[in-house]
Amino acid sequence: MAATAPSTRARVHSIFRHSEMGRGGRRWRVLHLTVLAAGLLAIAISSIDGLPIWTDDVLTAIVVLVAVVFFGEYLVRLWAAPESNRFAGLSDGMARLRWALSINGLIGLLAVFPVLAITFSSIHAGNEWAPIFCVFWILKLSVHAPAMTTLARVIANERATLASVVIIFVMVLVTAAALAHMLERELQPKVFGNIPESLWWAVVTLTTTGYGDVVPKTVGGRMVGSLVMVSGIVVLALLTGILATGFSEEERRREYLRVWDQVTRVPMFAELGTVTLSEIVSKLRVRHYPPRIVVVRRDEPGDSMFFISEGEVEVRLPRGSVALRQGGFFGEMALLDRLPRSATVVTTQPTTLLVLYASDFYEVAANIPSLVEAVEREARRRRAENQGAPAKVETP
Ligand code: CMP
């Protein structure tokens, strides 16, 4: 049994990866989202007053069921944690501890609390504490949002710049509150009577929220208010710019690593030198497709070509179908001939493709002629095959 255990655990672990495109991974994601939606809906409905008594039992049953599923998920994730690359080299126990203390582990644990609360203190769906489950459970959505990790990294990368903007924010805030207190305290002692009170107005104005519950009445106070509003827009624009730029840079870096990882599986790239390879890597994009997805459709205009780094596609030609596997490519004919797609191409298994857009294709053609010559040679062979000899299954 000891020999088979790691492979079962590895399979189970891979199902939980959000990039997993296999049937197991997709089914798990659908089930997880359905259970999550059912739990949130049950809590939301139970907060409505005046529902019939029987609904409380039904909703409590749903909440218990959801909490039990999350409990099971937590245990399985904990068991499979040593399979994660992040914990390579650690003992099983240490890997599990590290996972349990990671953000995902803590979110998983919080989601399990409701089941303990229900078991030990007979909480009902309509209980006054039940809405807190909503907060714990909605956090689980982050498991399906890989960009959350990117955001955390962006904030870490840009912390010095972000800190500068936050300091500007605090400076404007305190100055505005102090000036407003000086100018307005006589007319409105209740809301501008001291600096802490004026801070509320300053925060609401600086964030451009402006509830209107506190407004300056003196000319000086209004002038300060106007300046604070304009500063608010500037500060928010700065924050947005810093985060957006950092986000797109981080995504570019990650995509580059993802492509490097996939490119080695395509033999025609493996033959290129590192410098040439790095040039094409920056132009390729990784796309994961489940089975039975139409990647290109006959007669539609073509704006990209694809290299298969994993999986298989079927090229549907009028004369029959051709299978293309790992290392193969398609979509080149529309780019070379500047004509609509000559065939429909459909995935037959979970497939990973490297996409090269037309604009980059022509640039690559100029810089790496050997690669495009190989593509052109194959395109010529395909054209001849489509016009003459019957199609046959091809393995690159
Ligand atoms: P394109 O015409 O852009 O879109 C459909 C693609 O199917 C085409 O490029 C080729 O990459 C691929 N294709 C067309 N004919 C064949 C063939 N006989 N064998 C393999 N692939 C083909």
Side-chain angles (χ1 to χ4, degrees), residues 160-223:
T161 332
L162 289 173
S164 312
V165 179
V166 171
I167 289 170
I168 299 174
F169 188 89
V170 173
M171 279 164 59
V172 177
L173 198 72
V174 175
T175 315
L179 289 179
H181 162 66
M182 268 169 55
L183 296 163
E184 294 284 325
R185 66 182 158 197
E186 278 179 13
L187 270 183
Q188 305 186 73
K190 264 197 180 155
V191 281
F192 288 105
N194 52 49
I195 293 181
E197 295 261 21
S198 316
L199 269 175
W200 166 249
W201 166 82
V203 170
V204 167
T205 312
L206 191 55
T207 54
T208 68
T209 312
Y211 289 120
D213 56 342
V214 185
V215 282
K217 294 208 170 118
T218 63
V219 177
R222 286 189 177 170
M223 281 166 67

Side-chain angles (χ1 to χ4, degrees), residues 104-286:
N104 276 348
L106 294 174
I107 288 176
L109 190 64
L110 280 180
V112 169
F113 267 125
V115 80
L116 302 177
I118 288 163
T119 318
F120 295 118
S121 59
S122 67
I123 275 187
H124 290 278
N127 185 283
E128 58 182 302
W129 285 102
I132 200 74
F133 302 174
C134 253
V135 180
F136 291 163
W137 286 349
I138 200 73
L139 288 177
K140 283 190 75 81
L141 258 190
S142 65
V143 175
H144 298 279
M148 294 284 271
T149 337
T150 316
L151 184 63
R153 204 180 261 254
V154 170
I155 292 175
N157 289 349
E158 305 291 335
R159 58 185 179 279
T161 332
L162 289 173
S164 312
V165 179
V166 171
I167 289 170
I168 299 174
F169 188 89
V170 173
M171 279 164 59
V172 177
L173 198 72
V174 175
T175 315
L179 289 179
H181 162 66
M182 268 169 55
L183 296 163
E184 294 284 325
R185 66 182 158 197
E186 278 179 13
L187 270 183
Q188 305 186 73
K190 264 197 180 155
V191 281
F192 288 105
N194 52 49
I195 293 181
E197 295 261 21
S198 316
L199 269 175
W200 166 249
W201 166 82
V203 170
V204 167
T205 312
L206 191 55
T207 54
T208 68
T209 312
Y211 289 120
D213 56 342
V214 185
V215 282
K217 294 208 170 118
T218 63
V219 177
R222 286 189 177 170
M223 281 166 67
V224 171
S226 311
L227 280 177
V228 172
M229 280 184 260
V230 175
S231 313
I233 294 170
V234 172
V235 167
L236 291 184
L238 273 177
L239 280 179
T240 315
I242 294 167
L243 286 179
T245 316
F247 209 83
S248 90
E249 266 175 23
E250 185 61 29
E251 256 315 299
R252 205 168 43 80
R253 278 196 285 268
R254 287 184 159 228
E255 182 72 3
Y256 193 84
L257 291 181
R258 276 196 290 264
V259 176
W260 262 119
D261 199 35
Q262 297 293 329
V263 130
T264 49
R265 300 165 199 242
V266 181
M268 59 192 300
F269 292 133
E271 290 157 13
L272 300 172
T274 320
V275 178
T276 322
L277 193 58
S278 72
E279 191 179 327
I280 193 159
V281 163
S282 61
K283 298 191 162 46
L284 293 166
R285 301 279 170 269
V286 178

Side-chain angles (χ1 to χ4, degrees), residues 296 315 317 322 324 329-334 340-343 345 381-382 385-386 394:
V296 306
V315 182
L317 296 153
V322 177
L324 295 177
F329 59 84
F330 61 92
E332 77 292 354
M333 286 161 81
R341 298 288 190 199
S342 60
V345 182
R381 192 197 65 73
R382 288 175 179 177
E385 187 178 81
N386 294 353
E394 176 192 343

